[in-house]
Amino acid sequence: MDELHLQHLRRAIGVARRARERGNHPFGAILVDENNVVLLEAENTVNSERDCTGHAETNLIRLAWRQFDPATLRNCTLYTSTEPCAMCAGAIHWGGVGRVVFALSEEGLYAMTGSSHPDNETMRLPCREVFARSGRPVEVIGPLIEEEARLVHEGFWT
């Protein structure tokens, strides 16, 4: 496993921890350029902003589009504490980011929240399936370090 992937995923998990501390769902994402420089980070803001689309990855794509051109984004990697949901995968597709690396899988999250938790009405649709229907390739790596990523969720969904 690439040490840089682990380093960036741990930072994304740290962003998720910060989101939780601010009363939001525990999800975080960072954007890294082709030289492994962290360009941006974003956390979930669903509760604090009262915006159901305020997922970490969607927030990150909004920020990235304001600051970077499409050629730059194609060469970037989005690291996220948890596999992007269908909405976030769509945002990543339209945002033009070339690679996604995630820690905790959607199935791993679902195992923690179940089907009836009102704050995680997941579609149980892996991001790979969303990207497979995309007009351009998005490389996906993950899940990685699921046990570490689970820790930020412990006790949150109960």
Side-chain angles (χ1 to χ4, degrees):
M1 193 176 315
D2 186 319
E3 188 59 39
L4 282 171
H5 286 332
L6 298 179
Q7 176 185 338
H8 294 315
L9 285 173
R10 287 181 177 123
R11 182 166 176 171
I13 293 167
V15 174
R17 189 171 294 106
R18 188 173 68 220
R20 182 177 176 165
E21 290 167 357
R22 293 181 180 169
N24 289 296
H25 303 155
F27 301 100
I30 65 170
L31 187 69
V32 177
D33 73 9
E34 61 191 319
N35 298 311
N36 284 304
V37 174
V38 176
L39 302 175
L40 295 169
E41 57 182 44
E43 61 192 62
N44 180 288
T45 57
V46 167
N47 293 334
S48 61
E49 299 289 327
R50 294 199 38 83
D51 177 1
C52 63
T53 67
H55 293 194
E57 299 91 341
T58 303
N59 288 340
L60 188 70
I61 293 298
R62 284 186 194 115
L63 290 171
W65 255 76
R66 291 180 189 133
Q67 297 182 41
F68 303 104
D69 60 76
T72 299
L73 293 174
R74 266 192 303 279
N75 293 313
C76 285
T77 301
L78 189 152
Y79 288 88
T80 183
S81 61
T82 305
E83 181 174 0
C85 70
M87 176 184 71
C88 291
I92 292 163
H93 159 76
W94 282 298
V97 172
R99 183 188 319 160
V100 172
V101 181
F102 65 89
L104 179 63
S105 68
E106 177 72 21
E107 282 301 315
L109 177 64
Y110 184 79
M112 297 173 73
T113 64
S115 63
S116 62
H117 199 288
D119 285 341
N120 189 45
E121 296 183 42
T122 185
M123 292 181 181
R124 294 183 77 181
L125 180 62
C127 69
R128 282 180 174 89
E129 288 187 35
V130 176
F131 295 137
R133 287 157 178 78
S134 169
R136 64 171 187 79
V138 177
E139 180 184 1
V140 178
I141 300 171
L144 305 172
I145 62 171
E146 284 197 281
E147 289 305 314
E148 287 183 49
R150 254 188 208 93
L151 294 176
V152 73
H153 293 275
E154 283 186 355
F156 184 84
W157 304 102
T158 56

